[in-house]
Amino acid sequence: MDGKFIGVVAALLVSASWAAGTVTLKKVGDELSSFAMTLFKGLVSLVLLAVPLFFLGFERMDAQTLMLLGLSGLLGIAVGDTCFFEALKDLGPLPLVLLMIVGQILTIVFAVVFLGERPTWIKWAGIALVLVGIAVVLSGNLGGGRFTVGLRGLAFGMVSVLSMAVGSILVKRALGADTGTLQATLVRMAAGTGGMVVYGLLARKIGAWMNPFREMRVVVPFVSAVVIVTYGAFWLGTVAFKHLDLHVAQPLVSLEPLFVLPLAAVFLKEKTTWRAAGGTAVSVAGVVLLCI
């Protein structure tokens, strides 16, 4: 099967998975600390990734690949995800997703500067249409959701998008033609989770972080969300980055708002507008240009 087709499908599924995961996590996120969510998510994800690899078999990785994947895990998962969860508490989902757009732009700029990628004018047009469409969707739906902007939430959000952008660059550099995406995702997750464990032990807070997970009403929805984002976001995100240039993959995985708004309307009872339909159409046009 064509690698580009695999990458495009994987990237679109990443967006849908993050949307479903974000809506689910928002329901229990107010009861959990950001550190607790990142640590518990990582522990569950490690099991989910290790089990299939136990049957499929592990492969040898050189030191440079391991280092790049490990560093990307520390930045993108330990730092990026923790700050993401913290910002989500203060900003609400829509302003945070708007910040995520800034993150996509940063990643594309980094790909051009550090990876030497050179998008054609058609690809630049596609990138622009995707991001403009997302902005239109959000601007037409801000009244239907909680829209708060505080300096604390903004700071955490910016650290999150910067960490994730750098993490994406490191992942792209690490992935070779023969690198297994499932094992690469496991290495990233192990590094990110390991960083959280070390911090938790030094701060003597692991016990307090894990206490809320004694209740099944918290564990069940949280684990459900983790299953979705582990395979649908983290693993498929690695697949997308392997098969596509980063400047193509990143806009496609940024389509989360197009999925999160209908999910929020159904499960969180947030309203959407006709303006969202127009923004969605613009973004879809951008996706078509990126796939040419």
Side-chain angles (χ1 to χ4, degrees):
M1 188 178 293
D2 181 67
K4 184 176 181 179
F5 176 79
I6 294 174
V8 168
V9 172
L12 293 175
L13 289 174
V14 169
S15 294
S17 300
W18 270 122
T22 298
V23 170
T24 305
L25 290 173
K26 184 57 184 173
K27 289 187 173 182
V28 296
D30 291 338
E31 303 180 41
L32 303 169
S33 76
S34 304
F35 297 97
M37 287 192 283
T38 303
L39 176 59
F40 193 73
K41 172 182 66 62
L43 293 173
V44 175
S45 293
L46 285 176
V47 175
L48 293 172
L49 294 166
V51 168
L53 280 170
F54 178 79
F55 294 100
L56 294 173
F58 293 85
E59 63 183 40
R60 296 190 63 179
M61 287 185 171
D62 61 72
Q64 182 178 359
T65 299
L66 287 171
M67 181 187 68
L68 290 173
L69 289 172
L71 187 55
S72 74
L74 286 172
L75 286 174
I77 296 175
V79 177
D81 283 6
T82 301
C83 290
F84 175 88
F85 290 138
E86 198 65 28
L88 184 61
K89 290 174 179 290
D90 285 3
L91 297 179
L94 296 183
L96 187 59
V97 171
L98 196 58
L99 265 178
M100 293 299 103
I101 297 176
V102 177
Q104 314 310 326
I105 296 173
L106 271 178
T107 304
I108 293 167
V109 171
F110 287 171
V112 171
V113 174
F114 298 109
L115 299 180
E117 294 186 3
R118 293 293 180 264
T120 63
W121 69 269
I122 292 179
K123 293 294 189 289
W124 279 121
I127 292 168
L129 286 175
V130 167
L131 298 180
V132 168
I134 291 172
V136 170
V137 168
L138 291 175
S139 66
N141 285 270
L142 295 181
R146 182 164 66 92
F147 185 74
T148 55
V149 179
L151 290 179
R152 180 178 179 278
L154 188 62
F156 276 112
M158 289 306 299
V159 172
S160 175
V161 299
L162 181 60
S163 300
M164 291 179 181
V166 176
S168 297
I169 297 297
L170 293 172
V171 172
K172 183 62 178 177
R173 277 199 178 278
L175 292 174
D178 299 325
T179 307
T181 54
L182 196 61
Q183 186 168 320
T185 308
L186 177 65
V187 172
R188 291 192 70 222
M189 192 62 67
T193 305
M196 295 304 301
V197 170
V198 170
Y199 174 75
L201 290 174
L202 292 176
R204 298 181 180 181
K205 292 183 177 180
I206 287 184
W209 290 349
M210 302 305 287
N211 276 336
F213 292 105
R214 295 178 179 178
E215 300 185 34
M216 292 304 295
R217 66 180 183 84
V218 174
V219 171
V220 172
F222 194 88
V223 170
S224 299
V226 172
V227 172
I228 294 171
V229 300
T230 296
Y231 293 123
F234 285 104
W235 174 49
L236 289 179
T238 306
V239 173
F241 286 172
K242 178 176 181 176
H243 291 287
L244 297 173
D245 285 338
L246 205 55
H247 70 265
V248 174
Q250 203 63 41
L252 295 179
V253 301
S254 72
L255 293 170
E256 178 188 342
L258 274 60
F259 294 97
V260 78
L261 289 172
L263 289 173
V266 173
F267 296 104
L268 302 181
K269 306 304 180 185
E270 295 187 359
K271 297 179 180 180
T272 57
T273 68
W274 283 105
R275 194 170 184 177
T280 300
V282 172
S283 287
V284 169
V287 170
V288 172
L289 293 181
L290 287 171
C291 295
I292 293 178

